[in-house]
Amino acid sequence: MSADEFDPFVERLFNQSVNRTEKRYNEMGFSLRQMGKGYIDQFVRSTQEAAQRDTKVVLIADELARFMNIEVTEEAVSAEIEKIATLQGRKPLAIRAELEKNKALDRFQEDLRIKQMEDALIAKAAVKVVEEKSEE
């Protein structure tokens, strides 16, 4: 990702976070706009920092997936959508249509790629559990 792409990506994550928080607050009967200036300033600062961190994590994961030659196939996307549809009791086409309507299909594919990368790393990991010696 180039420097020109980094800031808009951070902004997108920031906006998504603000929108999710505002939606949760609205469900509880109040709004971010009702909060004091100090709270809003702190919220904006921490949300911007989180968006920058999350962007870096996505970039690292993307590079690692590229290094591991992990590509998301249409079959994998369809299978994942099928799982979600089954869990939600909906039709796969409805899930896909919603993703496309919300312009979230690319992000869905990115998330699936990261999940596949994590699964591949875990499958290759050699973890040895060592019992701690008790001091008597």
Side-chain angles (χ1 to χ4, degrees):
M1 179 177 286
S2 70
D4 293 338
E5 296 170 311
F6 183 79
D7 287 339
F9 192 83
V10 171
E11 184 177 346
R12 185 179 89 195
L13 290 178
F14 172 80
N15 288 335
Q16 288 171 346
S17 181
V18 169
N19 290 337
R20 278 192 308 271
T21 301
E22 181 67 15
K23 184 178 178 184
R24 275 195 314 260
Y25 281 11
N26 288 339
E27 289 169 355
M28 294 185 286
F30 56 97
S31 169
L32 276 174
R33 292 172 186 81
Q34 296 171 317
M35 301 297 156
K37 182 178 176 356
Y39 178 85
I40 291 174
D41 290 346
Q42 177 58 36
F43 171 77
V44 167
R45 204 171 20 262
S46 65
T47 303
Q48 285 173 332
E49 290 168 3
Q52 289 173 343
R53 181 189 172 284
D54 291 349
T55 299
K56 291 174 184 176
V57 169
V58 167
L59 293 174
I60 292 166
D62 187 56
E63 281 302 310
L64 189 52
R66 185 175 294 119
F67 176 77
M68 296 173 71
N69 295 317
I70 294 174
E71 294 298 325
V72 176
T73 64
E74 180 55 37
E75 292 79 19
V77 170
S78 293
E80 194 67 21
I81 288 173
E82 180 74 37
K83 286 180 195 174
I84 293 168
T86 300
L87 288 171
Q88 294 182 0
R90 298 172 63 196
K91 294 183 188 243
L93 285 175
I95 302 288
R96 183 179 289 273
E98 186 175 328
L99 288 168
E100 290 171 353
K101 176 185 167 203
N102 294 328
K103 296 181 175 45
L105 189 57
D106 287 343
R107 180 67 187 162
F108 182 82
Q109 290 170 326
E110 291 170 17
D111 291 346
L112 185 55
R113 185 173 186 216
I114 291 171
K115 181 183 180 301
Q116 289 177 345
M117 182 265 308
E118 290 170 346
D119 291 346
L121 284 173
I122 290 169
K124 292 178 182 181
V127 178
K128 181 179 178 182
V129 178
V130 178
E131 289 187 33
E132 188 176 322
K133 294 181 182 178
S134 62
E135 294 180 33
E136 294 178 14

